[in-house]
Coordinates of all heavy atoms in Angstrom, one line a residue:
M827 N 89.6 12.2 -98.0 CA 89.5 11.0 -97.2 C 90.9 10.5 -96.7 O 91.0 10.0 -95.7 CB 89.0 9.9 -98.2 CG 89.1 8.5 -97.5 SD 87.5 7.7 -97.8 CE 87.8 6.1 -97.1
N828 N 92.0 10.9 -97.5 CA 93.4 10.6 -97.0 C 93.8 11.4 -95.8 O 94.3 10.9 -94.9 CB 94.2 10.9 -98.2 CG 95.7 10.2 -97.9 OD1 95.8 9.4 -97.1 ND2 96.6 10.7 -98.7
I829 N 93.2 12.7 -95.8 CA 93.5 13.6 -94.7 C 92.9 12.9 -93.4 O 93.4 12.9 -92.3 CB 93.1 14.9 -94.9 CG1 93.8 15.6 -96.1 CG2 93.2 15.8 -93.7 CD1 93.3 16.9 -96.5
D830 N 91.6 12.5 -93.6 CA 90.9 11.9 -92.4 C 91.6 10.6 -91.8 O 91.7 10.4 -90.6 CB 89.5 11.5 -92.9 CG 88.6 11.1 -91.7 OD1 88.6 11.7 -90.7 OD2 87.8 10.2 -92.0
F831 N 92.2 9.9 -92.8 CA 92.8 8.7 -92.4 C 94.1 9.0 -91.7 O 94.3 8.4 -90.6 CB 93.1 7.7 -93.6 CG 93.9 6.5 -93.3 CD1 93.2 5.5 -92.7 CD2 95.2 6.4 -93.5 CE1 93.8 4.3 -92.5 CE2 95.8 5.3 -93.3 CZ 95.2 4.2 -92.7
N832 N 94.8 10.0 -92.1 CA 96.0 10.4 -91.5 C 95.7 11.0 -90.1 O 96.5 10.8 -89.1 CB 96.8 11.4 -92.3 CG 97.4 10.8 -93.6 OD1 97.7 9.6 -93.5 ND2 97.7 11.6 -94.6
Q833 N 94.6 11.8 -89.9 CA 94.3 12.4 -88.7 C 93.9 11.2 -87.7 O 94.3 11.3 -86.6 CB 93.0 13.3 -88.9 CG 92.6 14.0 -87.7 CD 91.4 14.9 -87.9 OE1 90.8 14.8 -89.0 NE2 91.1 15.6 -87.0
K834 N 93.3 10.2 -88.2 CA 92.9 9.1 -87.3 C 94.2 8.4 -86.7 O 94.3 8.0 -85.6 CB 92.0 8.0 -88.0 CG 90.7 8.6 -88.3 CD 89.8 8.8 -87.1 CE 88.4 9.3 -87.3 NZ 87.6 9.7 -86.2
I835 N 95.2 8.2 -87.7 CA 96.5 7.6 -87.3 C 97.1 8.4 -86.3 O 97.7 7.9 -85.3 CB 97.3 7.4 -88.6 CG1 96.7 6.4 -89.5 CG2 98.8 7.0 -88.2 CD1 96.6 5.0 -89.0
E836 N 97.2 9.8 -86.4 CA 97.8 10.7 -85.5 C 97.1 10.6 -84.1 O 97.8 10.5 -83.1 CB 97.8 12.1 -86.0 CG 98.8 12.3 -87.1 CD 100.2 12.0 -86.7 OE1 100.7 12.4 -85.5 OE2 101.0 11.4 -87.5
Q837 N 95.8 10.5 -84.2 CA 95.0 10.5 -82.9 C 95.4 9.1 -82.2 O 95.4 9.1 -81.0 CB 93.5 10.5 -83.1 CG 93.0 11.8 -83.5 CD 91.5 11.8 -83.9 OE1 91.0 10.8 -84.1 NE2 90.9 13.1 -84.0
L838 N 95.5 8.1 -83.0 CA 95.9 6.7 -82.4 C 97.3 6.7 -81.8 O 97.5 6.2 -80.7 CB 95.8 5.7 -83.5 CG 96.1 4.2 -83.0 CD1 95.1 3.7 -82.0 CD2 96.1 3.3 -84.2
K839 N 98.2 7.4 -82.5 CA 99.5 7.6 -81.9 C 99.5 8.4 -80.7 O 100.2 8.0 -79.7 CB 100.5 8.2 -82.9 CG 100.9 7.3 -84.1 CD 101.7 8.1 -85.1 CE 102.0 7.2 -86.3 NZ 102.9 7.9 -87.3
E840 N 98.8 9.3 -80.6 CA 98.6 10.2 -79.3 C 98.1 9.4 -78.3 O 98.6 9.5 -77.0 CB 97.9 11.4 -79.6 CG 98.5 12.6 -80.6 CD 97.6 13.7 -80.8 OE1 96.5 13.8 -80.2 OE2 97.9 14.4 -81.7
F841 N 97.1 8.7 -78.5 CA 96.4 7.8 -77.6 C 97.4 6.7 -76.9 O 97.5 6.6 -75.8 CB 95.3 7.1 -78.1 CG 94.6 6.1 -77.1 CD1 93.8 6.6 -76.0 CD2 94.7 4.8 -77.2 CE1 93.2 5.8 -75.1 CE2 94.1 3.9 -76.4 CZ 93.4 4.4 -75.3
I842 N 98.2 6.2 -77.8 CA 99.1 5.1 -77.4 C 100.1 5.7 -76.6 O 100.7 5.2 -75.5 CB 99.7 4.4 -78.6 CG1 98.6 3.5 -79.3 CG2 101.0 3.6 -78.3 CD1 99.1 2.9 -80.6
E843 N 100.6 7.0 -76.9 CA 101.7 7.6 -76.1 C 101.1 8.1 -74.7 O 101.9 7.9 -73.8 CB 102.2 9.0 -76.8 CG 103.3 9.7 -76.2 CD 104.5 8.9 -76.0 OE1 104.8 8.0 -76.9 OE2 105.3 9.2 -75.1
E844 N 99.8 8.5 -74.6 CA 99.3 8.7 -73.3 C 99.2 7.6 -72.5 O 99.5 7.5 -71.3 CB 97.9 9.4 -73.6 CG 98.0 10.8 -74.1 CD 96.5 11.4 -74.4 OE1 95.6 10.7 -74.0 OE2 96.5 12.4 -75.1
C845 N 98.8 6.4 -73.1 CA 98.7 5.1 -72.4 C 100.1 4.8 -71.8 O 100.2 4.3 -70.8 CB 98.2 4.0 -73.3 SG 96.4 4.2 -73.7
R846 N 101.1 4.9 -72.7 CA 102.5 4.6 -72.3 C 102.9 5.4 -71.0 O 103.6 4.9 -70.1 CB 103.4 4.7 -73.5 CG 104.8 4.3 -73.3 CD 105.7 4.6 -74.5 NE 107.1 4.7 -74.0 CZ 107.7 5.9 -73.7 NH1 106.9 7.0 -73.7 NH2 108.8 5.9 -73.3
R847 N 102.6 6.7 -71.1 CA 102.9 7.6 -69.9 C 102.2 7.0 -68.7 O 102.8 7.0 -67.7 CB 102.5 9.0 -70.2 CG 103.6 9.8 -70.9 CD 103.2 11.3 -70.9 NE 103.0 11.7 -72.4 CZ 102.1 12.2 -72.8 NH1 101.1 12.8 -72.1 NH2 101.9 12.5 -74.1
V848 N 100.9 6.7 -68.8 CA 100.2 6.2 -67.6 C 100.9 5.0 -67.1 O 101.0 4.7 -65.9 CB 98.7 6.1 -67.9 CG1 98.0 5.4 -66.9 CG2 98.1 7.4 -68.2
W849 N 101.1 4.1 -68.0 CA 101.7 2.7 -67.7 C 103.0 2.9 -67.0 O 103.4 2.0 -65.9 CB 102.0 1.9 -69.0 CG 102.4 0.5 -68.7 CD1 103.6 0.0 -68.7 CD2 101.5 -0.5 -68.2 NE1 103.5 -1.3 -68.3 CE2 102.2 -1.7 -68.0 CE3 100.1 -0.6 -68.0 CZ2 101.8 -2.9 -67.7 CZ3 99.6 -1.8 -67.5 CH2 100.4 -3.0 -67.4
L850 N 103.9 3.9 -67.3 CA 105.1 4.1 -66.6 C 104.9 4.6 -65.3 O 105.8 4.4 -64.3 CB 106.0 5.2 -67.4 CG 106.5 4.6 -68.8 CD1 107.2 5.7 -69.6 CD2 107.4 3.4 -68.6
V851 N 103.8 5.3 -64.9 CA 103.6 5.8 -63.6 C 102.9 4.9 -62.6 O 103.1 5.0 -61.4 CB 102.7 7.2 -63.8 CG1 102.3 7.7 -62.4 CG2 103.4 8.2 -64.5
L852 N 102.2 3.9 -63.2 CA 101.6 2.9 -62.3 C 102.5 2.1 -61.4 O 103.8 1.9 -61.8 CB 100.9 1.8 -63.3 CG 99.8 2.4 -64.1 CD1 99.2 1.1 -64.9 CD2 98.6 2.7 -63.2
K853 N 102.0 1.7 -60.3 CA 102.8 1.0 -59.4 C 101.9 0.0 -58.7 O 100.7 0.3 -58.6 CB 103.5 1.8 -58.4 CG 102.7 2.4 -57.3 CD 103.5 3.2 -56.3 CE 102.7 3.8 -55.3 NZ 102.1 2.9 -54.4
K854 N 102.4 -1.1 -58.3 CA 101.7 -2.2 -57.6 C 101.3 -1.6 -56.2 O 102.2 -1.1 -55.5 CB 102.4 -3.5 -57.6 CG 101.5 -4.6 -56.9 CD 102.4 -5.9 -57.1 CE 101.6 -7.1 -56.5 NZ 102.3 -8.2 -56.4
P855 N 100.0 -1.8 -55.7 CA 99.6 -1.2 -54.5 C 100.3 -2.2 -53.4 O 100.5 -3.3 -53.5 CB 98.1 -1.4 -54.4 CG 97.8 -2.4 -55.4 CD 98.8 -2.2 -56.5
T856 N 100.7 -1.5 -52.3 CA 101.3 -2.3 -51.2 C 100.1 -3.0 -50.5 O 98.9 -2.8 -50.7 CB 101.9 -1.2 -50.2 OG1 100.9 -0.5 -49.6 CG2 103.0 -0.4 -50.8
K857 N 100.6 -3.9 -49.5 CA 99.6 -4.7 -48.8 C 98.6 -3.8 -48.1 O 97.4 -4.0 -48.0 CB 100.2 -5.7 -47.9 CG 99.3 -6.7 -47.2 CD 100.1 -7.7 -46.4 CE 99.2 -8.6 -45.7 NZ 99.8 -9.6 -44.9
D858 N 99.2 -2.7 -47.4 CA 98.4 -1.8 -46.6 C 97.4 -1.0 -47.4 O 96.2 -0.9 -47.1 CB 99.3 -0.8 -45.9 CG 100.1 -1.4 -44.8 OD1 99.7 -2.6 -44.3 OD2 101.1 -1.0 -44.4
E859 N 97.9 -0.6 -48.7 CA 96.9 0.1 -49.5 C 95.8 -0.7 -49.9 O 94.6 -0.4 -50.1 CB 97.7 0.7 -50.7 CG 98.6 1.7 -50.5 CD 99.5 2.1 -51.7 OE1 99.7 1.3 -52.6 OE2 99.9 3.3 -51.7
Y860 N 96.2 -2.0 -50.4 CA 95.1 -3.0 -50.8 C 94.1 -3.1 -49.7 O 93.0 -3.3 -50.0 CB 95.8 -4.3 -51.3 CG 94.9 -5.3 -51.7 CD1 94.5 -5.2 -53.1 CD2 94.4 -6.4 -51.1 CE1 93.5 -6.0 -53.6 CE2 93.5 -7.3 -51.5 CZ 93.1 -7.2 -52.9 OH 92.2 -8.0 -53.4
L861 N 94.6 -3.5 -48.4 CA 93.7 -3.7 -47.4 C 92.8 -2.5 -47.1 O 91.5 -2.7 -46.7 CB 94.5 -4.1 -46.1 CG 95.1 -5.5 -46.2 CD1 95.9 -5.7 -44.9 CD2 94.0 -6.6 -46.3
A862 N 93.3 -1.3 -47.2 CA 92.5 -0.2 -47.0 C 91.4 0.0 -48.0 O 90.2 0.2 -47.7 CB 93.3 1.1 -47.1
V863 N 91.7 -0.2 -49.3 CA 90.7 -0.3 -50.4 C 89.6 -1.4 -50.1 O 88.5 -1.1 -50.3 CB 91.4 -0.4 -51.8 CG1 90.4 -0.7 -52.9 CG2 92.2 0.9 -52.1
A864 N 90.1 -2.5 -49.8 CA 89.1 -3.7 -49.5 C 88.3 -3.2 -48.3 O 87.0 -3.6 -48.4 CB 90.0 -4.9 -49.2
K865 N 88.8 -2.7 -47.2 CA 87.8 -2.3 -46.1 C 86.9 -1.2 -46.5 O 85.7 -1.3 -46.1 CB 88.8 -1.8 -45.0 CG 89.7 -2.8 -44.3 CD 90.4 -2.2 -43.3 CE 91.4 -3.2 -42.6 NZ 92.3 -2.6 -41.6
V866 N 87.3 -0.3 -47.3 CA 86.4 0.8 -47.7 C 85.3 0.3 -48.6 O 84.1 0.6 -48.5 CB 87.2 1.9 -48.5 CG1 86.3 2.9 -49.0 CG2 88.0 2.7 -47.4
T867 N 85.7 -0.6 -49.5 CA 84.7 -1.3 -50.4 C 83.7 -2.1 -49.6 O 82.5 -2.1 -49.8 CB 85.4 -2.2 -51.5 OG1 86.4 -1.4 -52.2 CG2 84.5 -2.8 -52.3
A868 N 84.2 -3.0 -48.7 CA 83.3 -3.7 -47.8 C 82.4 -2.9 -47.0 O 81.2 -3.2 -46.9 CB 84.2 -4.7 -46.9
L869 N 82.8 -1.8 -46.5 CA 82.0 -0.9 -45.7 C 80.9 -0.3 -46.6 O 79.7 -0.2 -46.2 CB 82.9 0.2 -45.1 CG 82.2 1.3 -44.2 CD1 81.6 0.6 -43.0 CD2 83.2 2.3 -43.9
G870 N 81.3 0.1 -47.7 CA 80.3 0.7 -48.7 C 79.2 -0.3 -49.1 O 78.0 0.0 -49.1
I871 N 79.6 -1.5 -49.4 CA 78.6 -2.6 -49.9 C 77.7 -2.8 -48.5 O 76.6 -3.0 -48.7 CB 79.4 -3.8 -50.2 CG1 80.0 -3.6 -51.6 CG2 78.4 -4.9 -50.3 CD1 80.8 -4.7 -52.1
S872 N 78.3 -2.9 -47.4 CA 77.5 -3.1 -46.2 C 76.5 -2.1 -45.9 O 75.3 -2.3 -45.5 CB 78.4 -3.3 -45.1 OG 79.3 -4.4 -45.1
L873 N 76.9 -0.8 -46.0 CA 76.1 0.3 -45.9 C 74.8 0.3 -46.8 O 73.8 0.6 -46.6 CB 76.9 1.7 -46.0 CG 77.7 2.0 -44.8 CD1 78.5 3.3 -45.1 CD2 76.9 2.2 -43.5
L874 N 75.2 -0.1 -48.1 CA 74.1 -0.1 -49.1 C 73.2 -1.2 -48.8 O 71.9 -1.0 -48.9 CB 74.7 -0.4 -50.5 CG 75.3 0.8 -51.2 CD1 76.0 0.4 -52.5 CD2 74.2 1.8 -51.5
G875 N 73.6 -2.3 -48.3 CA 72.7 -3.4 -47.8 C 71.9 -3.0 -46.7 O 70.7 -3.4 -46.6
I876 N 72.5 -2.3 -45.7 CA 71.7 -1.9 -44.6 C 70.6 -0.9 -45.0 O 69.5 -1.0 -44.6 CB 72.6 -1.2 -43.5 CG1 73.5 -2.4 -42.9 CG2 71.8 -0.5 -42.3 CD1 74.6 -1.9 -42.0
V877 N 70.9 0.1 -45.8 CA 70.0 1.0 -46.3 C 68.8 0.3 -47.1 O 67.7 0.6 -46.8 CB 70.6 2.1 -47.2 CG1 69.6 3.0 -47.9 CG2 71.5 3.0 -46.3
G878 N 69.2 -0.7 -47.9 CA 68.2 -1.4 -48.6 C 67.3 -2.2 -47.8 O 66.1 -2.3 -47.9
Y879 N 67.8 -2.8 -46.6 CA 67.0 -3.5 -45.7 C 66.1 -2.6 -44.9 O 64.9 -2.9 -44.7 CB 67.9 -4.3 -44.8 CG 67.3 -5.2 -43.8 CD1 66.7 -6.4 -44.1 CD2 67.0 -4.7 -42.5 CE1 66.0 -7.2 -43.2 CE2 66.3 -5.5 -41.5 CZ 65.8 -6.7 -41.8 OH 65.1 -7.4 -41.0
I880 N 66.6 -1.5 -44.6 CA 65.8 -0.4 -43.8 C 64.7 0.0 -44.7 O 63.6 0.4 -44.2 CB 66.7 0.8 -43.3 CG1 67.6 0.3 -42.2 CG2 65.9 2.0 -43.0 CD1 68.7 1.3 -41.8
I881 N 64.8 0.2 -46.0 CA 63.8 0.5 -46.9 C 62.8 -0.6 -47.1 O 61.6 -0.4 -47.1 CB 64.3 1.2 -48.2 CG1 65.1 2.4 -47.9 CG2 63.3 1.3 -49.2 CD1 65.8 3.0 -49.2
H882 N 63.3 -1.7 -47.3 CA 62.5 -2.9 -47.6 C 61.5 -3.3 -46.6 O 60.4 -3.7 -46.8 CB 63.5 -4.1 -47.9 CG 62.7 -5.4 -48.2 ND1 62.0 -5.6 -49.4 CD2 62.6 -6.5 -47.4 CE1 61.5 -6.8 -49.3 NE2 61.8 -7.5 -48.1
V883 N 62.0 -3.3 -45.2 CA 61.2 -3.8 -44.1 C 59.9 -3.0 -44.0 O 58.8 -3.6 -44.0 CB 62.0 -3.9 -42.8 CG1 61.1 -4.2 -41.7 CG2 63.0 -5.0 -42.9
P884 N 60.0 -1.7 -43.8 CA 58.7 -0.9 -43.7 C 57.9 -1.0 -44.9 O 56.6 -1.0 -44.8 CB 59.2 0.6 -43.5 CG 60.6 0.4 -43.1 CD 61.2 -0.8 -43.7
A885 N 58.5 -1.0 -46.1 CA 57.7 -1.1 -47.4 C 56.9 -2.3 -47.4 O 55.7 -2.4 -47.9 CB 58.6 -0.9 -48.6
T886 N 57.5 -3.5 -47.1 CA 56.7 -4.7 -47.0 C 55.6 -4.7 -46.0 O 54.6 -5.1 -46.2 CB 57.7 -5.8 -46.7 OG1 58.9 -5.8 -47.6 CG2 57.0 -7.2 -46.7
Y887 N 55.9 -4.1 -44.8 CA 54.9 -4.1 -43.7 C 53.7 -3.1 -44.2 O 52.6 -3.6 -44.0 CB 55.6 -3.5 -42.5 CG 54.6 -3.2 -41.4 CD1 54.1 -4.3 -40.7 CD2 54.2 -2.0 -41.0 CE1 53.2 -4.2 -39.6 CE2 53.3 -1.8 -39.9 CZ 52.8 -2.9 -39.2 OH 52.0 -2.9 -38.2
I888 N 54.0 -2.1 -44.8 CA 53.0 -1.1 -45.3 C 52.2 -1.8 -46.4 O 51.0 -1.7 -46.5 CB 53.6 0.2 -45.8 CG1 54.1 1.0 -44.6 CG2 52.6 1.1 -46.5 CD1 55.0 2.3 -44.9
K889 N 52.8 -2.5 -47.2 CA 52.2 -3.2 -48.4 C 51.3 -4.2 -47.8 O 50.2 -4.4 -48.4 CB 53.3 -3.8 -49.3 CG 52.7 -4.5 -50.5 CD 54.0 -5.1 -51.4 CE 53.4 -5.8 -52.4 NZ 54.6 -6.4 -53.2
G890 N 51.6 -4.9 -46.8 CA 50.8 -5.9 -46.2 C 49.6 -5.3 -45.5 O 48.4 -6.0 -45.5
I891 N 49.7 -4.1 -44.9 CA 48.5 -3.4 -44.4 C 47.6 -3.0 -45.4 O 46.3 -3.1 -45.2 CB 49.0 -2.3 -43.4 CG1 49.9 -2.7 -42.3 CG2 47.9 -1.4 -43.0 CD1 50.4 -1.7 -41.4
L892 N 48.1 -2.4 -46.4 CA 47.2 -1.8 -47.4 C 46.5 -2.9 -48.2 O 45.4 -2.8 -48.7 CB 47.9 -0.9 -48.3 CG 48.6 0.3 -47.7 CD1 49.4 1.1 -48.7 CD2 47.5 1.2 -47.1
K893 N 47.2 -4.0 -48.4 CA 46.6 -5.2 -49.3 C 46.7 -6.4 -48.5 O 47.8 -7.0 -48.7 CB 47.2 -5.2 -50.7 CG 46.7 -6.2 -51.6 CD 47.4 -6.2 -52.9 CE 46.9 -7.4 -53.8 NZ 47.7 -7.6 -54.9
P894 N 45.7 -6.8 -47.7 CA 45.9 -8.1 -47.0 C 45.9 -9.2 -47.9 O 45.4 -9.2 -49.1 CB 44.6 -8.2 -46.1 CG 43.7 -7.0 -46.6 CD 44.5 -6.1 -47.4
P895 N 46.5 -10.3 -47.5 CA 46.6 -11.5 -48.4 C 45.4 -12.1 -48.8 O 44.4 -12.0 -47.9 CB 47.5 -12.4 -47.6 CG 47.6 -11.9 -46.2 CD 47.2 -10.6 -46.3
A896 N 45.2 -12.5 -49.9 CA 44.0 -13.1 -50.4 C 43.7 -14.5 -49.7 O 44.6 -15.2 -49.4 CB 43.9 -13.3 -51.9
T897 N 42.4 -14.8 -49.3 CA 42.1 -16.1 -48.7 C 42.1 -17.2 -49.8 O 41.5 -16.9 -50.9 CB 40.9 -16.0 -47.9 OG1 39.9 -15.6 -48.8 CG2 41.0 -15.0 -46.7
P898 N 42.6 -18.2 -49.5 CA 42.4 -19.3 -50.6 C 41.2 -19.8 -50.8 O 40.3 -19.9 -49.9 CB 43.4 -20.4 -50.0 CG 43.5 -20.1 -48.6 CD 43.3 -18.7 -48.4
R899 N 40.8 -20.1 -52.0 CA 39.5 -20.7 -52.3 C 39.4 -22.2 -52.1 O 40.3 -22.8 -52.5 CB 39.1 -20.4 -53.8 CG 39.0 -19.0 -54.2 CD 38.5 -18.8 -55.6 NE 38.6 -17.4 -55.9 CZ 38.5 -16.9 -57.1 NH1 38.4 -17.7 -58.0 NH2 38.4 -15.7 -57.3
V900 N 38.4 -22.6 -51.5 CA 38.2 -24.1 -51.3 C 37.3 -24.7 -52.1 O 36.3 -24.2 -52.5 CB 37.9 -24.3 -49.7 CG1 37.7 -25.7 -49.4 CG2 38.8 -23.6 -48.8

């Protein structure tokens, strides 16, 4: 059990060292980089919305043809 505990401590130390190395390499994005990422993200979200709309409209139309709305009871 003591060996397992020491092994876990060593793994934790290695993980912290790897995190430290990554932290030293990180840099704040420039305004241009930030805007580029924002544009690509907005484009991706827009494309997903358009594809969803293109699928939704015919599906709703076909659903209405196959199953006409029920007439209300009076």
